């Protein structure tokens, strides 16, 4: 990590504070992963209702993502980060007061704003601070905050719920959110060139101009540099959504003596391990080969999970899935950073990660229905098929034609969509 020793103190201190704030944020969010589905069931929810409530997370996440991206470009990355930490602080208090499934769904939707805001603000601010020639390495290291937080959170949440109950669990999650906000308040944000007026969604304008801005914004989704990464993220969102919503229920139904938090913690440790090397390696060998490897890992992990019948197999599937996420997420973020100008980062991140959000939004109700019809094991085998589809699309659609796409996906050609200032 000697890259950090080359940065001026102000930048190095801001990255450290960002990391600590991110650690608190992800610990808060992930502490509810193994416990919230069970809490919903305790309120009387069925499998489909569990899926609907967990999927409601994306109802708040997805629309806010498309507003917060332009806000981060036009106003401030820190403002968007404050929105995220505020939501992650108050949502657990809402769960504490909820007494019905519809109320839980509303609060879960509000909770989704936290992920939308924090991931956009965090990714954009890290990219702003990172040196261009070692961007992948810095982003890779800073992305470690997610698996570290998700290694701490589920184990902590499962322990607190078992020993002290849901009330103390939700209060603890809210406290983590408060600490994240305090950390963000001390972070320095570099000045940036102002985006063109027509791209600034939060400036006074006529209705026609606002409509033109909105059209320009969503038109980016179909642009060659963005559409394939966004599709890949949508596939991964579906897989992740099925794990968040139904893995604790899958383990409970299998009658295995396994705390679901151990699955998430195992995945997080594997994700941490893979992120240590992937950033620097992608600077050297290109982004394409690592996205390909990650999609292969997703395919293998879902096949393992769908056919597992003992604890070691489930934890091995968790390790492979965690490695896939640890390779894919920072590499896609770096790829998107490569492909846009600094004044577009908020919008590019919001649209690309918006694909992930769409996947999560669909995963709850879609896989809730699938689980009711064919069972959890077949549901995860369906995830394997989705990973295969994402792999095929990435290998064939990442460049101007199929031969060039294959070369890029295998690390044999440079990215033709890199933004050149």
């Amino acid at each position: 990590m000697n890259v950090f020793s080359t940065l001026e103190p102000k930048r190095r201190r801001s990255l450290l504070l960002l990391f600590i704030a991110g650690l608190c944020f992800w610990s808060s969010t992930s502490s509810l992963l193994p416990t919230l589905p069970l809490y919903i069931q305790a309120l009387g929810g069925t499998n489909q209702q569990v899926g609907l409530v967990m999927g409601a997370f994306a109802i708040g996440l997805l629309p806010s993502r498309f507003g917060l991206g332009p806000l981060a470009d036009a106003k401030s990355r820190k403002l968007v980060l404050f929105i995220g930490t505020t939501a992650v602080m108050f949502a657990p208090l809402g769960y504490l007061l909820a007494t019905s499934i519809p109320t839980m769904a509303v609060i879960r939707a509000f909770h989704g704003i936290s992920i939308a805001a924090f991931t956009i603000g965090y990714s954009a601010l890290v990219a702003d601070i990172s040196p261009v020639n070692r961007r992948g390495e810095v982003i890779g290291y800073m992305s470690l905050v997610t698996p570290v937080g998700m290694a701490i959170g589920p184990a902590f949440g499962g322990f607190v719920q078992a020993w002290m109950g849901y009330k103390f669990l939700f209060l603890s999650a809210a406290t983590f959110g408060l600490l994240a906000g305090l950390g963000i308040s001390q972070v320095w944000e570099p000045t940036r060139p102002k985006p063109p007026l027509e791209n600034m969604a939060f400036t006074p304008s006529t209705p026609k101009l606002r409509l033109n801005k909105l059209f320009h914004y969503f038109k980016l989704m179909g642009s060659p540099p963005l559409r394939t990464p966004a599709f890949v993220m949508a596939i991964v969102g579906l897989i992740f959504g099925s794990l968040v919503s139904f893995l604790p229920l899958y383990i409970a139904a299998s009658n295995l003596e396994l705390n679901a938090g151990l699955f998430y913690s195992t995945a997080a440790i594997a994700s941490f391990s893979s992120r240590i090397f992937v950033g620097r390696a992608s600077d050297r060998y290109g982004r394409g080969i690592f996205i390909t490897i990650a999609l292969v890992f997703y395919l293998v992990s879902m096949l393992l999970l769908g056919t597992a019948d003992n604890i070691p197999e489930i934890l091995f599937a968790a390790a492979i899935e965690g490695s896939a996420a640890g390779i894919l997420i920072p590499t896609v973020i770096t790829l998107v950073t490569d492909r846009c100008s600094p004044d577009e980062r908020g919008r590019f991140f919001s649209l690309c990660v918006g694909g992930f959000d769409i996947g999560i939004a669909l995963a709850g109700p879609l896989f809730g229905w699938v689980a009711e019809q064919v069972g959890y094991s077949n549901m995860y085998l369906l995830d394997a098929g989705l990973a295969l589809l994402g792999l095929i699309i990435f290998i064939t659609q990442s460049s101007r034609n199929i031969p060039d796409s294959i070369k890029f996906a295998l690390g044999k050609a440079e990215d033709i969509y890199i933004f050149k200032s």
Side-chain angles (χ1 to χ4, degrees):
M1 294 189 184
N2 60 352
V3 63
F4 293 102
S5 66
T6 65
L7 299 175
E8 59 184 286
K10 180 166 56 175
R11 294 177 183 269
R12 189 164 58 245
R13 177 176 178 273
S14 291
L15 289 174
L16 175 61
L17 288 170
L18 265 176
F19 193 92
I20 293 171
L23 192 63
C24 293
F25 176 87
W26 288 110
S27 295
S28 171
T29 302
S30 64
S31 67
L32 304 179
L33 288 180
T35 53
L36 201 55
L38 301 175
Y39 183 70
I40 297 167
Q41 276 196 332
L43 290 177
T46 64
N47 278 349
Q48 283 188 298
Q49 287 174 324
V50 169
L52 288 170
V53 172
M54 298 300 287
F57 193 81
I59 295 174
L61 192 156
L62 188 55
S64 60
R65 178 88 73 184
F66 296 136
L68 292 167
L71 180 62
D73 287 337
K75 298 294 183 181
S76 166
R77 319 295 200 203
K78 283 182 65 174
L79 173 61
V80 173
L81 283 166
F82 277 127
I83 293 171
T85 55
T86 300
V88 87
M89 179 176 65
F90 283 107
L93 301 178
Y95 296 137
L96 183 60
L97 300 174
T99 57
S100 67
I101 300 301
T103 304
M104 285 291 295
V106 172
I107 298 167
R108 187 67 177 161
F110 169 73
H111 202 173
I113 298 172
S114 66
I115 294 280
F118 197 88
T119 53
I120 289 171
Y122 186 90
S123 298
L125 193 49
V126 169
D128 289 344
I129 296 173
S130 303
V132 175
N133 62 330
R134 303 184 75 173
R135 177 181 287 157
E137 185 175 0
V138 173
I139 291 175
Y141 288 142
M142 291 299 292
S143 74
L144 290 171
V145 71
T146 306
V148 173
M150 294 190 74
I152 296 170
F156 174 82
F159 173 81
V160 169
Q161 188 277 326
W163 286 90
M164 299 182 182
Y166 287 108
K167 180 178 180 179
F168 196 81
L169 169 66
F170 293 139
L171 290 174
S172 299
T175 302
F176 276 127
L178 174 62
L179 293 174
L182 293 175
I184 294 300
S185 69
Q186 302 302 310
V187 172
W188 165 74
E189 180 176 353
T191 57
R192 313 180 306 280
K194 290 294 183 182
L197 182 61
E198 65 271 15
N199 294 343
M200 294 179 66
F202 292 89
T203 54
S205 59
T206 65
K208 182 177 179 180
L209 183 55
R210 285 196 295 269
L211 186 61
N212 287 339
K213 293 174 187 175
L214 192 63
F215 175 76
H216 174 79
Y217 175 51
F218 283 103
K219 187 178 178 182
L220 289 174
M221 179 69 85
S223 63
L226 195 55
R227 62 190 176 207
T228 298
F231 179 83
V232 168
M233 290 297 284
I235 292 293
V236 174
L238 282 166
I239 295 172
F240 180 77
S242 69
L243 292 173
V244 168
S245 298
F246 298 106
L247 186 78
L249 306 182
Y250 174 40
I251 292 174
S254 67
N255 295 318
L256 295 175
E257 296 296 324
L258 174 65
N259 182 341
L262 290 177
F263 180 97
Y264 299 115
S265 295
T266 300
I269 292 168
S271 180
F272 176 92
S273 302
S274 61
R275 288 178 198 233
I276 289 176
F277 76 86
V278 71
R280 180 184 296 181
S282 75
D283 283 338
R284 181 173 180 180
Y285 299 108
R287 321 299 183 199
I289 182 63
F290 293 100
I291 296 175
T292 300
I293 291 170
L295 290 169
V296 171
F297 279 15
Y298 271 115
L299 170 60
V300 173
S301 66
M302 292 302 103
L303 286 174
L304 287 170
L305 191 58
T307 57
D309 58 6
N310 56 64
I311 292 175
E313 288 179 354
I314 289 178
L315 293 181
F316 184 52
I320 300 298
E321 188 275 332
S323 298
I327 294 170
L328 183 83
I329 303 300
T331 307
V332 169
I333 289 173
T334 309
L335 178 73
V336 172
T337 304
D338 292 342
R339 292 180 171 190
C340 66
S341 64
D343 61 273
E344 291 181 312
R345 282 175 185 153
R347 279 165 287 148
F348 266 64
F349 288 150
S350 66
L351 288 169
C352 182
V353 185
F356 184 79
D357 302 340
I358 291 171
I360 294 176
L362 295 175
L366 172 63
F367 287 115
W369 179 83
V370 171
E372 292 283 354
Q373 300 300 314
V374 298
Y376 297 115
S377 294
N378 289 325
M379 180 184 72
Y380 289 116
L381 292 177
L382 175 60
D383 273 342
L386 291 172
L388 178 60
L389 174 63
L391 178 63
I392 292 170
I393 293 297
F394 181 74
I395 289 176
T396 60
Q397 302 296 317
S398 291
S399 193
R400 58 192 151 209
N401 54 52
I402 292 178
D404 286 346
S405 293
I406 293 173
K407 291 178 183 177
F408 172 69
L410 297 179
K412 302 296 183 182
E414 292 185 355
D415 186 3
I416 66 168
Y417 297 122
I418 290 179
F419 174 79
K420 300 186 185 299
S421 57

